[in-house]
Amino acid sequence: MAFKKHRRVTPQAWRVAALAGALCGALTAGPASAIDVDAGDYTALPAGTNLAVAYYQYAERDALYSRDQRVPVDAGLDSQVGILRGVHYMNVGGYTVDPQFLLPFGKLKAGNDTSFLGRTSGVGDLILAATVWLVNRPDANTYFGITPFLTLPTGQYDRDKALNLGENRAKLTLQAGYITGLSKSLSLDVAGDVTLYGRNKDFGPSGQTMKQDASYQAQLYLRYHLSPALDLRAGISRTVSGATEVNGLDRDDRGDTTKLQIGAAYFLRPSTQLLASYGRDVSVREGFEENRRLNLRLLQVF
């Protein structure tokens, strides 16, 4: 990590810098340790259906944690991230499958005592995926699907920067999602995933090799359907991110984050849906804590 030559680097700054170095792989366009879902994502649509989806995510972070302890600095990190997503539903061997891609882009900006982390903007890593539905029962509002996500190291990455949109490594996430109707107006969404990481062989200013243990996430949502076009939703997720190792040195930086969110989704017309949600972290073991996050999603069916 590079500091401006004229700036005096205090011991506290070095402590924060060391922690920030451990976070370089995590500060990307979207969750680096898991794949977040929106409630309803595991609904299978008829073969031949296409989706064009645009996301906007704004998050503010005002606290920094290391091994369950808040670091005594005035931390700040804001992010504005967009994601373009294309989905196509098809039938393969009697199963519904939806090949898709996700392309993130945006900017990250550090502030306050952590402003030396700088800022970055650009395009993140391309994600390719395809859900296979093993249970597809629209009459009972019950679905179960499995999705492999392959993240390719195509995003912008500079080893001399603490903040990057790309991670300079491949990732494979295997996720399972389940939806069921609890009543005529209440639905339950559950998802879980595991992420395996390739190595970043150009990590940090000296170009070291960084590897990471597997990460895990569990997500649960309840949706209350006010009408066929409008629902209210609330969710909780917990992510346990694997510890990293740089050139064989274990950094003891396993993450454990729990977050809550509430929101609503509304079909403006039969083929156009707008989703909005607001959330925040409620528990963080390692890294920046989000004190607020706004997610917007526009979905077009064609």
Side-chain angles (χ1 to χ4, degrees), residues 242-273:
T244 61
E245 183 180 295
V246 176
N247 276 12
L249 179 63
D250 184 357
R251 300 197 296 182
D252 190 23
D253 56 353
R254 176 183 61 84
D256 192 340
T257 301
T258 300
K259 62 183 178 183
L260 301 174
Q261 65 172 299
I262 57 173
Y266 178 63
F267 276 95
L268 305 172
R269 54 190 185 189
S271 60
T272 306
Q273 185 193 50

Side-chain angles (χ1 to χ4, degrees), residues 102-104 124-128 149-156 165-172:
L102 299 93
L103 181 63
D125 293 333
L126 177 67
I127 302 172
L128 304 177
F149 293 86
L150 177 61
T151 302
L152 303 174
T154 60
Q156 291 175 263
L165 272 296
E167 294 188 51
N168 195 44
R169 60 179 178 175
K171 298 189 297 184
L172 176 64

